Amino acid sequence: MIVQRVVLNSRPGMKNGNPVAENFRMEEVYLPDNINEGQVQVRTLYLSVDPYMRCRMNEDTGTDYITPWQLSQVVDGGGIGIIEESKHTNLTKGDFVTSFYWPWQTKVILDGNSLEKVDPQLVDGHLSYFLGAIGMPGLTSLIGIQEKGHITAGSNKTMVVSGAAGACGSVAGQIGHFLGCSRVVGICGTHEKCILLTSELGFDAAINYKKDNVAEQLRESCPAGVDVYFDNVGGNISDTVISQMNENSHIILCGQISQYNKDVPYPPPLSPAIEAIQKERNITRERFLVLNYKDKFEPGILQLSQWFKEGKLKIKETVINGLENMGAAFQSMMTGGNIGKQIVCISEEISL
């Protein structure tokens, strides 16, 4: 059988380069007709593009827990699909499965042990949510806030979220309220996103960093200062937020997208002036890696699903159709073109 796949065509100029759609290319490849014991053949339904993938485009990812993509080899990431044929004892035809290392390919033969079965009822049939709010980005937000935010019910804390209209940010702000923050303020890059945050996602205020004076708007929006900062972006925005944080406050280091196209370590060091503020005010800023909390994944998914089913957790996603648009979707996500989770729909046909 001939199937389509996406491979890494080129790396963005050196380490300090902006990714473009042309860094990826689509090609056809032969898929064997027979599968071996323990394997399954799956049809890909949805694929995820995420900021961390920018590091995988470099020859060296800068971390020990994610590997670089290889030139002219199939690209992989979060994915979800349906089993069409199985020789694995615990997986049967028609099961929906997910993996963090799903090849960008229309159909694929995988080791059944590398897959996790998912229950469509947890997402009311919206399978793509398993790649977003009820998947890794949702878990990152929930566990990050639980482990590093030090929020307790009724503690009257103010939380600021940067990258607030993205996959993690849009969920984190809502969770901040659920867990007891009295005020949640989002920072994002368009007027449309600001309106969405405050009208649909329950944020108390939103700041457009491209138009507003962020420092001034933060002072107005957070009159009591900032107690918890869910940081998705790093850079100048984070410097501004940190300079308005209270004593003994906490930074949840989720991501640093403004720095991903630059050759800097992760997490990037703070400037001397901001580092001085951090130390003086005893602000915690510890690297947070959700993969270190695998024991919390199952209860976390059930909690996120419950909030969604109760109508409390509002889920936003931007869907682009077609494997041929993976590169364009990745480029758009890296430049803020998405609202909520950026998803690529490969096949919507879920019947066999």
Side-chain angles (χ1 to χ4, degrees):
M1 185 192 332
I2 301 295
V3 298
Q4 294 174 312
R5 69 177 190 174
V6 172
V7 300
L8 187 64
N9 188 44
S10 57
R11 301 191 190 277
M14 298 300 287
K15 279 193 175 178
N16 296 342
N18 294 316
V20 291
E22 293 71 30
N23 292 136
F24 303 93
R25 76 170 186 272
M26 198 156 88
E27 60 182 32
E28 292 191 330
V29 67
Y30 176 74
L31 194 69
D33 293 326
N34 299 318
I35 61 172
N36 299 325
E37 282 305 314
Q39 290 185 326
V40 293
Q41 181 189 301
V42 291
R43 185 170 77 250
T44 306
L45 299 175
Y46 298 99
L47 293 172
S48 172
V49 289
D50 302 276
Y52 81 88
M53 292 176 168
R54 173 61 188 85
C55 306
R56 299 192 70 187
M57 297 182 83
N58 298 335
E59 278 184 63
D60 176 6
T61 64
T63 67
D64 49 7
Y65 59 90
I66 46 174
T67 54
W69 289 327
Q70 300 302 318
L71 288 169
S72 296
Q73 297 296 311
V74 69
V75 173
D76 65 346
I80 193 157
I82 185 169
I83 294 181
E84 294 190 321
E85 190 187 343
S86 174
K87 285 192 177 175
H88 188 279
T89 46
N90 300 331
L91 298 169
T92 55
K93 185 176 175 176
D95 283 347
F96 295 106
V97 287
T98 186
S99 167
F100 200 51
Y101 300 102
W102 195 289
W104 289 9
Q105 198 163 304
T106 48
K107 293 190 181 193
V108 64
I109 292 169
L110 296 169
D111 175 0
N113 290 337
S114 70
L115 299 170
E116 195 180 328
K117 210 153 118 175
V118 292
D119 177 2
Q121 289 187 322
L122 290 176
V123 289
D124 285 350
H126 297 279
L127 291 167
S128 57
Y129 289 0
F130 283 124
L131 298 178
I134 304 178
M136 203 55 84
L139 285 172
T140 301
S141 303
L142 175 61
I143 298 169
I145 293 169
Q146 286 174 332
E147 295 295 317
K148 303 290 185 185
H150 304 278
I151 298 163
T152 49
S155 58
N156 214 24
K157 288 186 172 174
T158 296
M159 175 166 150
V160 170
V161 182
S162 57
C168 285
S170 60
V171 174
Q174 298 180 72
I175 291 173
H177 268 318
F178 301 161
L179 297 185
C181 283
S182 58
R183 191 161 180 77
V184 177
V185 176
I187 301 174
C188 56
T190 69
H191 180 60
E192 176 197 10
K193 290 177 179 178
C194 285
I195 289 171
L196 172 94
L197 293 181
T198 53
S199 65
E200 291 188 48
L201 303 186
F203 284 69
D204 299 286
I207 298 165
N208 178 352
Y209 73 88
K210 290 183 181 170
K211 288 274 166 66
D212 299 332
N213 178 322
V214 177
E216 214 172 89
Q217 291 288 317
L218 261 183
R219 273 189 291 274
E220 276 182 35
S221 305
C222 310
V226 179
D227 302 299
V228 182
Y229 174 37
F230 194 94
D231 184 4
N232 282 302
V233 302
N236 293 337
I237 291 172
S238 291
D239 289 354
T240 305
V241 177
I242 294 168
S243 64
Q244 295 192 31
M245 291 184 76
N246 294 324
E247 283 207 14
N248 305 315
S249 53
H250 306 283
I251 298 168
I252 302 161
L253 263 183
C254 178
Q256 303 280 283
I257 196 168
S258 75
Q259 309 298 303
Y260 284 167
N261 294 328
K262 300 174 185 174
D263 185 8
V264 293
Y266 185 82
L270 296 171
S271 68
I274 300 300
E275 192 175 9
I277 290 172
Q278 183 206 347
K279 286 183 173 157
E280 198 179 295
R281 297 182 196 164
N282 193 33
I283 301 168
T284 61
R285 181 184 185 254
E286 297 162 354
R287 178 173 173 171
F288 167 70
L289 182 58
V290 72
L291 298 174
N292 290 339
Y293 298 90
K294 287 185 176 166
D295 59 314
K296 294 184 162 53
F297 283 13
E298 197 178 331
I301 292 292
L302 292 174
Q303 176 64 80
L304 291 161
S305 168
Q306 185 186 335
W307 281 331
F308 164 62
K309 290 187 150 199
E310 288 170 353
K312 285 171 72 173
L313 180 65
K314 307 288 191 293
I315 298 178
K316 292 289 165 191
E317 57 180 13
T318 300
V319 181
I320 291 180
N321 289 314
L323 186 72
E324 69 278 8
N325 290 316
M326 290 300 297
F330 183 77
Q331 183 180 1
S332 173
M333 177 271 308
M334 285 298 293
T335 50
N338 57 303
I339 287 181
K341 182 76 185 80
Q342 178 75 67
I343 295 283
V344 181
C345 175
I346 308 303
S347 167
E348 283 185 294
E349 185 53 59
I350 59 168
S351 59
L352 289 171

Short mmCIF file of all heavy atoms in Angstrom, two decimals, residues 284-326:
data_model
loop_
_atom_site.label_atom_id
_atom_site.label_comp_id
_atom_site.label_asym_id
_atom_site.label_seq_id
_atom_site.Cartn_x
_atom_site.Cartn_y
_atom_site.Cartn_z
N THR A 284 10.25 31.98 43.24
CA THR A 284 10.70 30.67 42.75
C THR A 284 10.56 30.62 41.23
O THR A 284 9.57 31.07 40.66
CB THR A 284 9.92 29.50 43.37
OG1 THR A 284 8.53 29.63 43.01
CG2 THR A 284 10.05 29.48 44.89
N ARG A 285 11.58 30.07 40.57
CA ARG A 285 11.54 29.89 39.10
C ARG A 285 12.29 28.60 38.79
O ARG A 285 13.47 28.58 38.53
CB ARG A 285 12.22 31.07 38.39
CG ARG A 285 12.21 30.99 36.85
CD ARG A 285 12.99 32.16 36.25
NE ARG A 285 12.92 32.21 34.80
CZ ARG A 285 13.93 31.87 33.99
NH1 ARG A 285 15.07 31.42 34.49
NH2 ARG A 285 13.80 31.95 32.67
N GLU A 286 11.55 27.49 38.91
CA GLU A 286 12.18 26.18 38.71
C GLU A 286 11.72 25.59 37.38
O GLU A 286 10.58 25.75 36.98
CB GLU A 286 11.76 25.22 39.84
CG GLU A 286 12.21 25.67 41.22
CD GLU A 286 11.43 24.97 42.32
OE1 GLU A 286 10.48 24.23 42.00
OE2 GLU A 286 11.76 25.19 43.49
N ARG A 287 12.65 24.90 36.73
CA ARG A 287 12.31 24.22 35.50
C ARG A 287 11.21 23.19 35.78
O ARG A 287 11.29 22.43 36.74
CB ARG A 287 13.57 23.53 35.00
CG ARG A 287 13.41 22.73 33.74
CD ARG A 287 14.79 22.29 33.31
NE ARG A 287 14.69 21.39 32.18
CZ ARG A 287 15.71 20.98 31.48
NH1 ARG A 287 16.92 21.39 31.80
NH2 ARG A 287 15.57 20.16 30.47
N PHE A 288 10.17 23.20 34.96
CA PHE A 288 9.06 22.26 35.15
C PHE A 288 8.96 21.35 33.93
O PHE A 288 8.85 21.82 32.80
CB PHE A 288 7.74 23.02 35.35
CG PHE A 288 6.53 22.13 35.24
CD1 PHE A 288 6.26 21.21 36.24
CD2 PHE A 288 5.68 22.19 34.14
CE1 PHE A 288 5.17 20.35 36.13
CE2 PHE A 288 4.59 21.35 34.04
CZ PHE A 288 4.34 20.44 35.04
N LEU A 289 9.00 20.06 34.15
CA LEU A 289 8.90 19.09 33.07
C LEU A 289 7.78 18.10 33.41
O LEU A 289 7.91 17.29 34.33
CB LEU A 289 10.24 18.36 32.89
CG LEU A 289 10.30 17.35 31.75
CD1 LEU A 289 9.99 18.00 30.42
CD2 LEU A 289 11.68 16.71 31.71
N VAL A 290 6.69 18.17 32.66
CA VAL A 290 5.50 17.37 32.98
C VAL A 290 5.81 15.87 32.94
O VAL A 290 5.19 15.08 33.66
CB VAL A 290 4.32 17.75 32.06
CG1 VAL A 290 4.52 17.25 30.64
CG2 VAL A 290 3.00 17.23 32.62
N LEU A 291 6.77 15.45 32.10
CA LEU A 291 7.09 14.02 31.99
C LEU A 291 7.63 13.43 33.28
O LEU A 291 7.68 12.21 33.44
CB LEU A 291 8.10 13.80 30.84
CG LEU A 291 7.61 14.20 29.44
CD1 LEU A 291 8.72 14.08 28.42
CD2 LEU A 291 6.40 13.38 29.02
N ASN A 292 8.02 14.30 34.22
CA ASN A 292 8.49 13.81 35.53
C ASN A 292 7.33 13.46 36.47
O ASN A 292 7.55 13.03 37.60
CB ASN A 292 9.36 14.87 36.22
CG ASN A 292 10.70 15.04 35.52
OD1 ASN A 292 11.14 14.15 34.80
ND2 ASN A 292 11.34 16.17 35.73
N TYR A 293 6.10 13.68 36.01
CA TYR A 293 4.92 13.49 36.89
C TYR A 293 3.94 12.48 36.29
O TYR A 293 2.73 12.65 36.39
CB TYR A 293 4.22 14.83 37.12
CG TYR A 293 5.07 15.85 37.82
CD1 TYR A 293 5.88 16.73 37.08
CD2 TYR A 293 5.12 15.94 39.21
CE1 TYR A 293 6.68 17.68 37.72
CE2 TYR A 293 5.91 16.88 39.85
CZ TYR A 293 6.69 17.73 39.09
OH TYR A 293 7.48 18.67 39.73
N LYS A 294 4.48 11.41 35.69
CA LYS A 294 3.61 10.45 35.00
C LYS A 294 2.57 9.81 35.91
O LYS A 294 1.50 9.41 35.46
CB LYS A 294 4.46 9.37 34.32
CG LYS A 294 5.18 9.92 33.09
CD LYS A 294 5.94 8.86 32.33
CE LYS A 294 6.56 9.47 31.06
NZ LYS A 294 7.56 8.59 30.46
N ASP A 295 2.88 9.71 37.20
CA ASP A 295 1.91 9.12 38.15
C ASP A 295 0.67 10.00 38.30
O ASP A 295 -0.37 9.54 38.79
CB ASP A 295 2.57 8.92 39.52
CG ASP A 295 3.10 10.22 40.12
OD1 ASP A 295 3.75 10.99 39.39
OD2 ASP A 295 2.85 10.46 41.32
N LYS A 296 0.77 11.25 37.88
CA LYS A 296 -0.37 12.18 38.01
C LYS A 296 -1.17 12.30 36.70
O LYS A 296 -2.16 13.03 36.64
CB LYS A 296 0.12 13.56 38.46
CG LYS A 296 0.72 13.53 39.87
CD LYS A 296 1.11 14.93 40.33
CE LYS A 296 1.28 15.02 41.84
NZ LYS A 296 2.18 14.06 42.43
N PHE A 297 -0.74 11.60 35.64
CA PHE A 297 -1.41 11.73 34.34
C PHE A 297 -2.85 11.24 34.37
O PHE A 297 -3.76 11.93 33.92
CB PHE A 297 -0.63 10.99 33.24
CG PHE A 297 0.61 11.71 32.75
CD1 PHE A 297 1.13 12.79 33.43
CD2 PHE A 297 1.24 11.30 31.58
CE1 PHE A 297 2.27 13.45 32.98
CE2 PHE A 297 2.38 11.94 31.12
CZ PHE A 297 2.90 13.02 31.81
N GLU A 298 -3.06 10.02 34.90
CA GLU A 298 -4.40 9.45 34.85
C GLU A 298 -5.41 10.26 35.67
O GLU A 298 -6.46 10.65 35.14
CB GLU A 298 -4.38 7.99 35.31
CG GLU A 298 -5.63 7.24 34.90
CD GLU A 298 -5.61 5.78 35.30
OE1 GLU A 298 -4.52 5.19 35.39
OE2 GLU A 298 -6.70 5.22 35.52
N PRO A 299 -5.11 10.58 36.95
CA PRO A 299 -6.06 11.43 37.68
C PRO A 299 -6.22 12.81 37.05
O PRO A 299 -7.29 13.41 37.08
CB PRO A 299 -5.46 11.53 39.09
CG PRO A 299 -4.06 11.06 38.99
CD PRO A 299 -3.99 10.13 37.82
N GLY A 300 -5.14 13.30 36.44
CA GLY A 300 -5.20 14.62 35.79
C GLY A 300 -6.15 14.63 34.61
O GLY A 300 -6.97 15.54 34.46
N ILE A 301 -6.06 13.59 33.76
CA ILE A 301 -6.95 13.48 32.59
C ILE A 301 -8.40 13.38 33.05
O ILE A 301 -9.31 14.00 32.48
CB ILE A 301 -6.56 12.26 31.71
CG1 ILE A 301 -5.20 12.49 31.04
CG2 ILE A 301 -7.64 11.95 30.68
CD1 ILE A 301 -5.16 13.58 29.98
N LEU A 302 -8.64 12.59 34.10
CA LEU A 302 -10.02 12.44 34.61
C LEU A 302 -10.55 13.76 35.15
O LEU A 302 -11.72 14.09 34.96
CB LEU A 302 -10.06 11.35 35.69
CG LEU A 302 -9.79 9.92 35.18
CD1 LEU A 302 -9.72 8.94 36.33
CD2 LEU A 302 -10.86 9.48 34.18
N GLN A 303 -9.69 14.53 35.82
CA GLN A 303 -10.11 15.84 36.35
C GLN A 303 -10.43 16.81 35.21
O GLN A 303 -11.46 17.50 35.24
CB GLN A 303 -9.00 16.41 37.24
CG GLN A 303 -9.30 17.81 37.77
CD GLN A 303 -10.50 17.86 38.70
OE1 GLN A 303 -10.40 17.53 39.86
NE2 GLN A 303 -11.66 18.25 38.18
N LEU A 304 -9.56 16.87 34.20
CA LEU A 304 -9.78 17.76 33.06
C LEU A 304 -11.07 17.37 32.33
O LEU A 304 -11.87 18.23 31.95
CB LEU A 304 -8.58 17.69 32.10
CG LEU A 304 -7.28 18.29 32.64
CD1 LEU A 304 -6.08 17.78 31.84
CD2 LEU A 304 -7.32 19.82 32.60
N SER A 305 -11.28 16.06 32.15
CA SER A 305 -12.49 15.57 31.49
C SER A 305 -13.74 15.95 32.28
O SER A 305 -14.74 16.39 31.71
CB SER A 305 -12.41 14.05 31.33
OG SER A 305 -13.66 13.52 30.96
N GLN A 306 -13.65 15.82 33.60
CA GLN A 306 -14.81 16.16 34.45
C GLN A 306 -15.15 17.65 34.32
O GLN A 306 -16.31 18.01 34.16
CB GLN A 306 -14.49 15.82 35.90
CG GLN A 306 -15.68 16.02 36.83
CD GLN A 306 -15.30 15.81 38.30
OE1 GLN A 306 -14.35 15.09 38.60
NE2 GLN A 306 -16.05 16.42 39.19
N TRP A 307 -14.13 18.52 34.38
CA TRP A 307 -14.39 19.96 34.22
C TRP A 307 -15.01 20.26 32.86
O TRP A 307 -15.91 21.08 32.75
CB TRP A 307 -13.08 20.74 34.38
CG TRP A 307 -12.63 20.92 35.81
CD1 TRP A 307 -13.40 21.01 36.92
CD2 TRP A 307 -11.27 21.08 36.25
NE1 TRP A 307 -12.62 21.21 38.04
CE2 TRP A 307 -11.31 21.25 37.67
CE3 TRP A 307 -10.03 21.10 35.60
CZ2 TRP A 307 -10.15 21.46 38.43
CZ3 TRP A 307 -8.88 21.29 36.37
CH2 TRP A 307 -8.94 21.46 37.76
N PHE A 308 -14.52 19.57 31.83
CA PHE A 308 -15.06 19.77 30.47
C PHE A 308 -16.52 19.33 30.41
O PHE A 308 -17.39 20.05 29.91
CB PHE A 308 -14.20 18.99 29.46
CG PHE A 308 -14.85 18.81 28.12
CD1 PHE A 308 -15.18 19.91 27.33
CD2 PHE A 308 -15.15 17.54 27.64
CE1 PHE A 308 -15.79 19.74 26.08
CE2 PHE A 308 -15.76 17.36 26.41
CZ PHE A 308 -16.08 18.47 25.63
N LYS A 309 -16.81 18.15 30.96
CA LYS A 309 -18.18 17.62 30.89
C LYS A 309 -19.16 18.43 31.73
O LYS A 309 -20.34 18.50 31.43
CB LYS A 309 -18.19 16.16 31.34
CG LYS A 309 -17.51 15.24 30.34
CD LYS A 309 -17.69 13.79 30.73
CE LYS A 309 -17.71 12.94 29.48
NZ LYS A 309 -18.28 11.64 29.69
N GLU A 310 -18.63 19.06 32.79
CA GLU A 310 -19.49 19.92 33.63
C GLU A 310 -19.74 21.27 32.97
O GLU A 310 -20.50 22.10 33.49
CB GLU A 310 -18.82 20.15 34.99
CG GLU A 310 -18.84 18.93 35.90
CD GLU A 310 -17.95 19.11 37.13
OE1 GLU A 310 -17.23 20.13 37.21
OE2 GLU A 310 -17.98 18.22 38.01
N GLY A 311 -19.06 21.52 31.85
CA GLY A 311 -19.22 22.81 31.15
C GLY A 311 -18.35 23.91 31.74
O GLY A 311 -18.46 25.07 31.34
N LYS A 312 -17.47 23.55 32.67
CA LYS A 312 -16.60 24.56 33.29
C LYS A 312 -15.39 24.89 32.41
O LYS A 312 -15.06 26.04 32.19
CB LYS A 312 -16.11 24.06 34.67
CG LYS A 312 -17.18 24.10 35.75
CD LYS A 312 -16.74 23.39 37.02
CE LYS A 312 -15.67 24.18 37.77
NZ LYS A 312 -15.38 23.54 39.09
N LEU A 313 -14.72 23.83 31.92
CA LEU A 313 -13.52 24.01 31.10
C LEU A 313 -13.92 24.23 29.65
O LEU A 313 -14.49 23.34 29.01
CB LEU A 313 -12.60 22.78 31.23
CG LEU A 313 -11.30 22.83 30.43
CD1 LEU A 313 -10.37 23.93 30.95
CD2 LEU A 313 -10.58 21.48 30.47
N LYS A 314 -13.64 25.41 29.15
CA LYS A 314 -13.94 25.74 27.74
C LYS A 314 -12.71 25.42 26.89
O LYS A 314 -11.60 25.82 27.23
CB LYS A 314 -14.29 27.22 27.60
CG LYS A 314 -15.41 27.70 28.54
CD LYS A 314 -16.76 27.18 28.12
CE LYS A 314 -17.91 27.82 28.85
NZ LYS A 314 -17.98 27.53 30.28
N ILE A 315 -12.92 24.70 25.81
CA ILE A 315 -11.79 24.22 25.00
C ILE A 315 -11.80 24.90 23.63
O ILE A 315 -12.82 24.92 22.94
CB ILE A 315 -11.85 22.69 24.85
CG1 ILE A 315 -11.72 22.04 26.24
CG2 ILE A 315 -10.76 22.20 23.91
CD1 ILE A 315 -11.81 20.53 26.23
N LYS A 316 -10.67 25.46 23.27
CA LYS A 316 -10.51 26.12 21.97
C LYS A 316 -9.45 25.40 21.16
O LYS A 316 -8.42 25.00 21.70
CB LYS A 316 -10.08 27.59 22.17
CG LYS A 316 -11.14 28.46 22.81
CD LYS A 316 -12.28 28.69 21.84
CE LYS A 316 -13.52 29.22 22.52
NZ LYS A 316 -14.69 29.19 21.64
N GLU A 317 -9.69 25.25 19.87
CA GLU A 317 -8.66 24.69 19.00
C GLU A 317 -8.76 25.29 17.61
O GLU A 317 -9.82 25.76 17.20
CB GLU A 317 -8.71 23.15 18.97
CG GLU A 317 -10.02 22.56 18.53
CD GLU A 317 -10.02 21.02 18.51
OE1 GLU A 317 -9.11 20.38 19.06
OE2 GLU A 317 -10.96 20.47 17.92
N THR A 318 -7.63 25.31 16.92
CA THR A 318 -7.55 25.78 15.54
C THR A 318 -7.21 24.56 14.69
O THR A 318 -6.17 23.93 14.91
CB THR A 318 -6.46 26.85 15.39
OG1 THR A 318 -6.78 27.95 16.25
CG2 THR A 318 -6.36 27.34 13.96
N VAL A 319 -8.10 24.21 13.79
CA VAL A 319 -7.91 22.98 13.00
C VAL A 319 -7.63 23.32 11.54
O VAL A 319 -8.34 24.11 10.92
CB VAL A 319 -9.16 22.07 13.09
CG1 VAL A 319 -8.95 20.78 12.29
CG2 VAL A 319 -9.49 21.74 14.54
N ILE A 320 -6.56 22.73 11.03
CA ILE A 320 -6.20 22.83 9.61
C ILE A 320 -6.33 21.42 9.04
O ILE A 320 -5.99 20.45 9.72
CB ILE A 320 -4.76 23.38 9.43
CG1 ILE A 320 -4.69 24.84 9.87
CG2 ILE A 320 -4.28 23.23 8.00
CD1 ILE A 320 -3.31 25.47 9.75
N ASN A 321 -6.83 21.29 7.83
CA ASN A 321 -7.02 19.97 7.24
C ASN A 321 -5.89 19.59 6.30
O ASN A 321 -5.39 20.42 5.55
CB ASN A 321 -8.34 19.93 6.46
CG ASN A 321 -9.55 19.96 7.39
OD1 ASN A 321 -9.60 19.24 8.37
ND2 ASN A 321 -10.51 20.82 7.09
N GLY A 322 -5.50 18.31 6.35
CA GLY A 322 -4.59 17.76 5.35
C GLY A 322 -3.15 17.63 5.78
O GLY A 322 -2.54 18.58 6.28
N LEU A 323 -2.58 16.43 5.56
CA LEU A 323 -1.19 16.16 5.90
C LEU A 323 -0.25 17.12 5.17
O LEU A 323 0.80 17.50 5.70
CB LEU A 323 -0.83 14.71 5.54
CG LEU A 323 0.55 14.22 5.97
CD1 LEU A 323 0.62 14.02 7.48
CD2 LEU A 323 0.92 12.91 5.25
N GLU A 324 -0.66 17.54 3.96
CA GLU A 324 0.20 18.44 3.18
C GLU A 324 0.35 19.82 3.84
O GLU A 324 1.24 20.59 3.46
CB GLU A 324 -0.36 18.60 1.75
CG GLU A 324 -1.67 19.36 1.64
CD GLU A 324 -2.93 18.52 1.92
OE1 GLU A 324 -2.79 17.34 2.36
OE2 GLU A 324 -4.04 19.04 1.71
N ASN A 325 -0.48 20.10 4.83
CA ASN A 325 -0.43 21.40 5.51
C ASN A 325 0.25 21.36 6.87
O ASN A 325 0.17 22.32 7.64
CB ASN A 325 -1.85 21.97 5.64
CG ASN A 325 -2.42 22.38 4.30
OD1 ASN A 325 -1.73 23.02 3.50
ND2 ASN A 325 -3.66 22.00 4.02
N MET A 326 0.95 20.27 7.19
CA MET A 326 1.64 20.17 8.48
C MET A 326 2.65 21.31 8.65
O MET A 326 2.72 21.94 9.71
CB MET A 326 2.36 18.82 8.61
CG MET A 326 1.46 17.62 8.76
SD MET A 326 0.37 17.64 10.20
CE MET A 326 1.54 17.64 11.56
#
